[in-house]
Amino acid sequence: MTEIVRELTEDEWGSIVHLSKAVGWDYHRKEVEMIFKNGTVFGIDDNEKLVACAALISYDEKKIGSIGMVIVLQSHQGKGLGRKLTEACMNRKAQTQSLMLIATKEGESLYRKVGFQTTDTIVKYTSSSFESFNDFVHAQSFEQFMLQDVVDLDAAAFGERREGFLQDRIKQASKAYVRYKDEKIDGYGLAIDTPYNRIIGPLICKTDEGAIDIIRALLIGYSGRVRIDLPKKRERVEAFLQKSGFSLSATPPLMVKGELPDRNGTLISIAAQAFG
């Protein structure tokens, strides 16, 4: 094989989904399309078959770039393809843009070699059977007039504005809730339904109590599999999840190259590992 890195096009989503399934990951069409809409995807072929890919996702101000969806077919691992694709993403970033990624335990050493440092741990919780929530919650459904307040909350939590991404993600959401306190929105959360589970995130709130209320709102009447990825340990939120039937399923490392913009500590759960 030539190991030539090329930029993929959106109509190749099927090859990416197939590659994802081959390694036991759960990327699906809508998520891959969202990644293309917000970033650039690179791939490597062997005999005209996609065997590896990776994406660089950027937001409005290009302060932060997230490298995600780094997949290498098992038969082609150990050949440096992951590094080639990561370097392609690094070469495409804006000059002043810092990079982040959520690594696998196996991939952590590779990313260290190209300048990333481990800064924290993602705390992934999943559940296939949890306590049903059917009671009153202090949250209300998102309406379009709330968008700018939600974007402002998100920017302070994430470190840069990502209005375009949020507009698309809210349209994709099966549920979107906000929480008011003192007549101001102090939190919001989205539920994204996939063929595999319901993802809770992004979820941003100024208090853990409010975050729990939003989680409850997003799960009312739902009984399927659920996933929520916390960007750091949050004892009160984790205690609630454990009591409700969730289990800690993974703790992948969060890695950064450069310095991330200031964050105010209100990011409770991330949109997905590819989006940082």
Side-chain angles (χ1 to χ4, degrees), residues 18-19 22-23 49-52 71-77 81:
H18 180 78
L19 182 60
V23 299
K49 175 186 176 183
L50 186 68
V51 296
I71 308 173
V72 180
L73 198 64
Q74 188 171 5
S75 59
H76 289 68
Q77 292 177 5
L81 304 191

Side-chain angles (χ1 to χ4, degrees), residues 47-272:
N47 290 323
E48 299 184 355
K49 175 186 176 183
L50 186 68
V51 296
C53 67
L56 171 67
I57 297 164
S58 297
Y59 300 104
D60 299 6
E61 301 165 307
K62 288 187 167 53
K63 294 180 181 178
I64 301 171
S66 178
I67 295 178
M69 202 169 68
V70 182
I71 308 173
V72 180
L73 198 64
Q74 188 171 5
S75 59
H76 289 68
Q77 292 177 5
K79 299 180 180 181
L81 304 191
R83 179 164 183 161
K84 283 179 177 290
L85 290 164
T86 301
E87 289 175 341
C89 292
M90 293 167 60
N91 291 336
R92 182 60 63 91
K93 78 176 185 68
Q95 185 173 1
T96 59
Q97 192 173 28
S98 296
L99 294 175
M100 64 187 299
L101 58 84
I102 298 169
T104 61
K105 296 290 187 183
E106 298 77 16
E108 189 172 7
S109 61
L110 180 155
Y111 298 119
R112 286 187 183 278
K113 290 176 183 177
V114 294
F116 285 83
Q117 298 295 322
T118 301
T119 60
D120 220 319
T121 299
I122 299 296
V123 186
K124 174 184 172 182
Y125 277 89
T126 57
S127 175
S128 57
S129 177
F130 58 89
E131 176 187 322
S132 179
F133 303 117
N134 294 301
D135 54 344
F136 177 77
V137 294
H138 298 281
Q140 64 186 77
S141 295
F142 170 85
E143 296 184 47
Q144 190 62 29
F145 75 85
M146 303 170 179
L147 178 63
Q148 288 306 313
D149 287 336
V150 165
V151 170
D152 290 344
L153 277 176
D154 186 85
F158 186 75
E160 80 158 281
R161 295 182 71 82
R162 45 182 186 169
E163 182 171 350
F165 167 72
L166 288 176
Q167 285 181 316
D168 292 336
R169 203 63 165 176
I170 289 168
K171 290 177 184 176
Q172 186 184 6
S174 55
K175 285 190 174 182
Y177 276 88
V178 298
R179 187 176 187 272
Y180 275 89
K181 185 175 182 181
D182 298 329
E183 300 183 352
K184 292 183 179 180
I185 295 177
D186 77 337
Y188 86 93
L190 306 181
I192 308 296
D193 287 342
T194 80
Y196 310 99
N197 51 28
R198 172 169 285 187
I199 298 172
I200 302 300
L203 194 163
I204 286 162
C205 197
K206 294 181 179 179
T207 65
D208 286 355
E209 177 187 30
I212 291 168
D213 221 25
I214 294 171
I215 293 171
R216 290 165 63 88
L218 294 171
L219 293 178
I220 285 177
Y222 181 79
S223 58
R225 291 183 57 83
V226 184
R227 170 176 174 170
I228 181 168
D229 291 7
L230 312 180
K232 60 172 59 180
K233 292 192 68 64
R234 301 190 84 100
E235 291 184 4
R236 188 169 181 183
V237 175
E238 290 184 65
F240 161 76
L241 292 173
Q242 292 165 7
K243 184 179 178 181
S244 302
F246 285 74
S247 299
L248 179 64
S249 59
T251 55
L254 174 63
M255 306 187 74
V256 173
K257 182 177 174 63
E259 292 189 13
L260 293 181
D262 289 339
R263 296 180 164 190
N264 66 3
T266 61
L267 180 61
I268 307 294
S269 70
I270 61 176

